[in-house]
């Protein structure tokens, strides 16, 4: 009996010691001396500390999450139609998806970047790009709506993407080398004839408006990821390339033959000055420039011609190649601008280049030959250091502002923390599973907010309840405020996040528009009170000028519509508080609903095909009498002559 009591006493002591030890670990390394659930808990009515803007990949959308809670706050349509909001369906937003190829209802949204001032996040805009039909876009963060989309001509698979540190330029590189200009030629003649343009888009500092400035016509390698120089390296940009073999078939084998590919180092300040002084050549091109007017809730699409192109050989000292092993993906610049981290997917080590050594090598002309006339810098002369045995399959690196870097490893499925001072591994944590990208709020700027890290995983497997094939990709939140990383939270994401950008909520939320005034509504068919509502016929076109307010439409009874008419409902939401939208739906409409923001007017086209009496209704629950918010439209036979009339409560 004494032996049993002794064993029980020992077990109790062990449990107590484990419990105390756990608390001690949290105090040493956690953001708060509490458990993981408490650290991600945001109480009802409270707000998250950070916004996270996540690429939606093949969804074509961008999603907004609160961090640390992982709560989905909004999905913002950008490159794909969105039936929930009517984006790309209603007459006002269809032009946003226009291209030189015509109307494209889908896009592949890859990377995101928040505007910066002096290398620090300023929260005015978030920019993104599209991989399939090359386009770039601006989302305005006072309304969280897509404000502009610019097609990138003379390009394919726009993938490498960066915003310079004063938001002077958006840089977009082509993933797929193509003939430049496009023409009919044999694929077998790719080598030496295909090109890889890097496109520079000038950004207006006041409005965020985008204009295509120039393209640097690079050799026909595949451009993967890009980041701007910052601080010491301001005025430069860096981008990884792979397939320096210029293979056109079975790339998984034929594009992995060379021991080293390249990071491009490009002095955009020097090229900007060259173009400003008249340098460059105009190339034929056609591309769409789509702009959304928030006041009128309508978009315009303008087809533009021609693009200024620059041959890097014409600007000595502007473009260089830095050799890097092997099939690199990530290209990341630390907050000081001194270190450029290259992630060779097939390399056993992480390569870190030194910007100051790069400048000296350029000054001393320490070249190791050239590629298509572009000097190749000697690897040993620009090398800052190597991280030994970091993991398998490195992809992306971000920084915490404390001298540490964090790199994802796809094959070994982990995030690894290492020191920029001595290139030693400090910590590693598994991810679930096969992590691709990662994000630290501000980690792509001079001022990271090194509290949390989000890992975006490519494979979900058993992390959530099974829902059939193609489960939502998992994201995982780590606390990085201490010496060791701690996994706090899993949350599902939308589409396939290729990147994310995080920012303190306080930099955005105070600028969020709260009142949408009717007198600022610039829609050409807006009506500002019920006395202005009416129905007008112009041949077989019928225009319904309608208002909505809790909880009725005006008018809500309409007669005189005929089969074959084109009926345009111009519906104005008379509410002005930001969180009182209304919906509008019409049976048989070959489009999505209208989701009409406060103070706004939107237009739906309805083409009735059958006689009868058809209901219209509000789709967005707005009040206790939401169910009563409805109306009727009478449709008479084609060729008949019914009286056109409308009413609300018989008036």
């Amino acid at each position: 009996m004494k032996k049993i009591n002794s064993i029980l006493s020992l077990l109790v002591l062990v449990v107590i010691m484990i419990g105390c030890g756990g608390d001690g670990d949290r105090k040493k390394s956690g953001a708060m001396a509490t458990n993981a659930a408490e650290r991600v808990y945001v109480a009802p009515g409270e707000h998250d500390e950070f916004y996270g803007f996540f690429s939606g990949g093949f969804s074509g959308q961008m999603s907004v999450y609160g961090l640390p809670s992982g709560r989905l706050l909004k999905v913002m349509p950008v490159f794909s139609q969105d039936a929930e909001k009517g984006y790309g369906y209603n007459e006002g937003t269809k032009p946003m998806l226009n291209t030189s190829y015509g109307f494209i209802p889908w896009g592949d949204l890859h990377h995101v970047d928040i505007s910066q001032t002096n290398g620090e996040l300023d929260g005015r805009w978030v920019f993104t790009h599209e991989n399939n039909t090359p386009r770039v876009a601006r989302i305005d963060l006072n309304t969280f709506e897509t404000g502009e989309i610019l097609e990138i001509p003379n390009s394919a698979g726009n993938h490498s993407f960066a915003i310079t540190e004063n938001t002077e330029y958006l840089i977009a590189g082509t993933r797929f080398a193509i003939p430049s200009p496009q023409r009919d030629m044999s694929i077998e003649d790719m080598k030496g004839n295909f090109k890889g343009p890097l496109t520079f888009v000038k950004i207006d500092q006041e409005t965020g408006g985008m204009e295509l400035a120039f393209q640097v016509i690079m050799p026909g390698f595949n451009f993967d990821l890009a980041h701007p120089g910052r601080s010491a390296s301001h005025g430069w940009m860096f981008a990884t390339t792979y397939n320096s073999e210029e293979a056109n078939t079975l790339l998984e084998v034929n594009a992995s033959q060379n021991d080293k590919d390249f990071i491009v180092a490009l002095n955009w300040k020097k090229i900007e000055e060259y173009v400003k002084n008249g340098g460059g050549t105009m190339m034929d091109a056609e591309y769409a420039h789509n702009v959304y007017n928030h006041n009128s809730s309508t978009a315009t699409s303008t087809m533009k011609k021609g693009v200024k192109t620059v041959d890097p050989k014409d600007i000595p000292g502007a473009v260089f190649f830095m050799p890097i092993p092997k099939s690199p993906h990530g290209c990341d610049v630390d907050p000081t601008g001194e270190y450029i981290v290259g992630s060779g997917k097939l390399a056993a080590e992480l390569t870190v280049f030194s910007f100051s050594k790069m400048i000296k090598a350029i000054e001393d002309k320490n070249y190791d030959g050239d590629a298509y006339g572009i000097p190749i810098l000697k690897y040993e002369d620009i090398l800052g250091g190597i991280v030994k045995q970091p993991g398998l399959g490195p992809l992306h690196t971000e920084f915490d502002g404390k001298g540490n870097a964090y790199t994802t490893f796809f094959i070994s499925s982990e995030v690894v923390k290492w020191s920029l001072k001595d290139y030693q591994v400090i910590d590693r944590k598994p991810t679930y599973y096969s992590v691709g990208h990662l994000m630290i709020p501000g980690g792509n700027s001079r001022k990271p907010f090194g509290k949390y890290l989000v890992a975006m995983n490519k494979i979900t497997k058993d992390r959530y309840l099974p829902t059939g094939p193609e489960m939502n990709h998992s994201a995982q939140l780590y606390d990085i405020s201490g010496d060791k990383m701690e996994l706090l939270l899993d949350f599902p994401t939308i589409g396939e996040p290729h990147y994310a950008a995080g920012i303190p909520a306080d930099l955005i939320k105070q600028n969020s528009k709260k009142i949408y005034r009717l007198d600022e509504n610039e829609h050409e068919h807006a009506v500002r009170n019920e006395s202005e509502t009416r129905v007008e016929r112009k041949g077989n076109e019928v225009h319904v000028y309608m208002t909505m307010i809790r909880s009725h439409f005006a008018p809500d009874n309409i007669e005189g519509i005929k089969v074959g008419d084109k009926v345009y409902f111009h519906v104005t939401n008379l509410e002005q508080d930001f969180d009182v939208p209304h919906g509008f739906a019409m049976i048989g409409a070959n489009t999505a609903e209208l989701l009409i923001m406060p103070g706004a007017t939107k237009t739906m086209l309805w083409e009735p095909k059958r006689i009868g009496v058809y209901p219209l209704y509000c789709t967005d629950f707005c009040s206790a009498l939401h169910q009563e918010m409805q109306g009727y439209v009478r449709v008479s036979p084609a060729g008949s002559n019914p009286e056109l009339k409308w009413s609300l409560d018989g008036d």
Side-chain angles (χ1 to χ4, degrees):
M1 187 67 180
K2 289 181 179 179
K3 184 179 289 187
I4 293 173
N5 287 338
S6 298
I7 293 171
L8 288 173
S9 299
L10 183 61
L11 286 172
V12 169
L13 180 61
V14 169
V15 169
I16 292 171
M17 290 176 65
I18 291 172
C20 293
D23 287 341
D25 289 344
R26 284 197 292 271
K27 288 176 182 176
K28 289 178 183 177
S29 60
M32 300 169 60
T34 52
N35 62 36
E38 289 174 329
R39 276 183 268 168
V40 300
Y41 176 72
V42 178
E46 298 296 321
H47 293 171
D48 281 282
E49 186 178 356
F50 295 94
Y51 283 103
F53 297 93
F54 284 65
S55 143
F58 46 66
S59 79
Q61 324 290 25
M62 186 186 299
S63 51
V64 187
Y65 290 84
L67 300 174
S69 73
R71 296 182 296 190
L72 177 64
L73 304 179
K74 188 168 188 175
V75 176
M76 301 184 294
V78 185
F79 297 117
S80 293
Q81 289 179 303
D82 184 348
E84 176 191 344
K85 299 174 183 66
Y87 180 87
Y89 288 95
N90 64 58
E91 300 305 299
T93 56
K94 281 181 182 177
M96 292 299 286
L97 300 181
N98 190 38
T99 75
S100 63
Y101 301 93
F103 180 82
I104 304 293
W106 171 86
D108 185 12
L109 189 153
H110 270 238
H111 304 110
V112 299
D113 217 342
I114 299 169
S115 57
Q116 300 183 13
T117 300
N118 296 324
E120 297 184 11
L121 304 181
D122 60 32
R124 292 179 293 167
W125 311 294
V126 58
F127 295 90
T128 187
H129 67 112
E130 203 266 294
N131 192 49
N132 182 59
T133 307
R135 292 171 281 178
V136 294
R138 182 194 79 246
I139 291 93
D140 299 321
L141 291 181
N142 62 336
T143 60
F144 284 70
E145 291 182 303
T146 302
E148 188 174 9
I149 294 178
L150 179 67
E151 186 180 359
I152 303 298
N154 194 31
S155 182
N158 172 21
H159 196 262
S160 59
F161 176 78
I163 301 291
T164 57
E165 63 172 0
N166 277 303
T167 320
E168 304 98 332
Y169 288 99
L170 179 159
I171 305 164
T174 185
R175 175 180 169 187
F176 309 115
I178 56 171
S180 182
Q182 269 288 17
R183 59 192 182 276
D184 180 21
M185 63 177 295
S186 172
I187 298 171
E188 294 178 353
D189 294 332
M190 170 183 175
K191 194 164 187 175
N193 293 311
F194 284 22
K195 304 296 180 185
L198 295 174
T199 302
F200 284 72
V201 176
K202 187 69 175 174
I203 299 173
D204 186 280
Q205 297 299 291
E206 297 298 321
T207 66
M210 302 184 293
E211 290 289 344
L212 203 159
F214 55 85
Q215 290 183 325
V216 182
I217 307 300
M218 297 293 291
F221 307 150
N222 294 39
F223 288 82
D224 202 342
L225 293 177
H227 275 97
R230 55 179 58 95
S231 302
S233 52
H234 176 71
W236 289 78
M237 64 83 63
F238 306 91
T240 48
T241 72
Y242 63 100
N243 192 22
S244 55
E245 298 86 351
E246 298 178 80
N248 60 62
T249 185
L250 196 61
L251 265 64
E252 63 177 333
V253 175
N254 296 322
S256 304
Q257 298 301 304
N258 294 340
D259 288 335
K260 289 184 174 68
D261 291 284
F262 300 113
I263 288 178
V264 176
L266 185 148
N267 187 330
W268 60 261
K269 283 281 193 182
K270 188 181 285 280
I271 297 175
E272 178 186 54
E273 188 67 22
Y274 172 79
V275 172
K276 188 183 296 182
N277 292 329
T281 303
M282 291 302 297
M283 180 183 292
D284 288 339
E286 183 180 42
Y287 58 99
H289 188 187
N290 309 328
V291 179
Y292 185 74
N293 183 323
H294 295 291
N295 288 334
S296 67
S297 300
T298 56
T300 57
S301 179
T302 305
M303 297 305 298
K304 296 194 171 183
K305 304 283 187 181
V307 57
K308 177 67 69 74
T309 61
V310 173
D311 186 335
K313 296 191 296 296
D314 294 337
I315 317 172
V319 185
F320 301 89
F321 282 133
M322 301 193 296
I324 176 173
K326 181 176 185 187
S327 296
H329 186 59
C331 175
D332 303 284
V333 181
D334 89 303
T336 71
E338 169 63 16
Y339 301 106
I340 303 106
V341 181
S343 299
K345 300 190 296 290
L346 303 180
E349 302 170 333
L350 269 181
T351 305
V352 185
F353 293 111
S354 162
F355 177 74
S356 55
K357 287 185 177 182
M358 184 197 86
I359 293 299
K360 187 176 189 307
I362 291 170
E363 291 171 349
D364 296 342
K365 297 187 176 180
N366 291 338
Y367 304 151
D368 192 9
D370 69 84
Y372 293 104
I374 297 173
I376 301 172
L377 299 172
K378 285 187 176 179
Y379 178 76
E380 296 78 9
D381 291 338
I382 59 176
L383 185 64
I386 292 174
V387 182
K388 300 282 190 180
Q389 297 182 329
L392 299 176
L395 292 181
H396 295 273
T397 300
E398 291 228 334
F399 310 90
D400 63 8
K402 305 169 189 174
N404 303 308
Y406 301 76
T407 302
T408 57
F409 291 83
F410 179 82
I411 297 173
S412 53
S413 197
E414 59 185 335
V415 176
V416 174
K417 176 182 179 181
W418 53 276
S419 171
L420 285 163
K421 296 176 183 177
D422 58 15
Y423 309 109
Q424 296 299 306
V425 171
I426 299 170
D427 189 26
R428 61 178 73 238
K429 283 290 183 290
T431 62
Y432 306 95
Y433 301 90
S434 299
V435 62
H437 300 65
L438 81 166
M439 179 271 284
I440 295 171
N444 176 30
S445 74
R446 290 190 191 185
K447 184 182 177 181
F449 302 88
K451 187 173 183 179
Y452 300 112
L453 178 153
V454 179
M456 286 155 273
N457 304 307
K458 299 298 185 184
I459 299 174
T460 303
K461 290 187 181 292
D462 55 6
R463 299 307 287 181
Y464 311 124
L465 289 171
T467 55
E470 188 52 38
M471 297 176 69
N472 280 11
H473 290 208
S474 71
Q476 291 172 313
L477 181 78
Y478 294 80
D479 178 354
I480 60 169
S481 61
D483 295 333
K484 300 293 184 179
M485 297 178 282
E486 293 181 81
L487 176 60
L488 301 181
L489 178 72
D490 278 26
F491 60 96
T493 57
I494 292 174
E496 181 188 0
H498 290 273
Y499 190 52
I503 183 172
D506 288 342
L507 292 178
I508 292 179
K509 66 180 184 180
Q510 69 268 22
N511 298 321
S512 184
K513 192 172 179 179
K514 295 294 193 297
I515 299 297
Y516 289 77
R517 294 170 45 155
L518 273 170
D519 59 7
E520 294 177 352
N521 184 332
E522 299 174 1
H523 195 288
E524 63 175 325
H525 299 298
V527 291
R528 291 170 179 80
N529 55 69
E530 291 182 2
S531 66
E532 297 177 5
T533 60
R534 62 197 184 275
V535 181
E536 297 177 348
R537 177 176 287 280
K538 299 176 182 178
N540 72 330
E541 285 189 5
V542 178
H543 292 263
V544 179
Y545 298 84
M546 177 181 282
T547 61
M548 59 199 331
I549 194 168
R550 289 168 287 184
S551 297
H552 65 269
F553 296 97
D556 63 1
N557 280 199
I558 301 169
E559 298 191 21
I561 308 300
K562 297 182 287 187
V563 171
D565 281 345
K566 292 179 178 291
V567 183
Y568 291 90
F569 289 95
H570 310 295
V571 189
T572 300
N573 183 353
L574 297 180
E575 315 279 1
Q576 297 181 74
D577 184 293
F578 81 105
D579 200 27
V580 192
H582 287 293
F584 176 84
M586 189 73 225
I587 188 169
N590 299 121
T591 183
E593 64 162 349
L594 292 180
L595 189 61
I596 307 168
M597 297 301 110
T601 303
K602 291 192 177 180
T603 298
M604 173 191 284
L605 171 61
W606 179 54
E607 299 180 81
K609 298 176 176 62
R610 302 174 186 171
I611 62 170
V613 177
Y614 297 103
L616 56 88
Y617 70 104
C618 177
T619 59
D620 193 335
F621 198 98
C622 55
S623 75
L625 296 176
H626 168 75
Q627 293 293 91
E628 285 77 9
M629 194 166 174
Q630 67 172 62
Y632 287 102
V633 179
R634 174 187 172 188
V635 179
S636 299
S640 63
N641 192 29
E643 178 186 0
L644 188 64
K645 58 182 181 179
W646 60 96
S647 63
L648 171 65
D649 196 23
D651 295 329

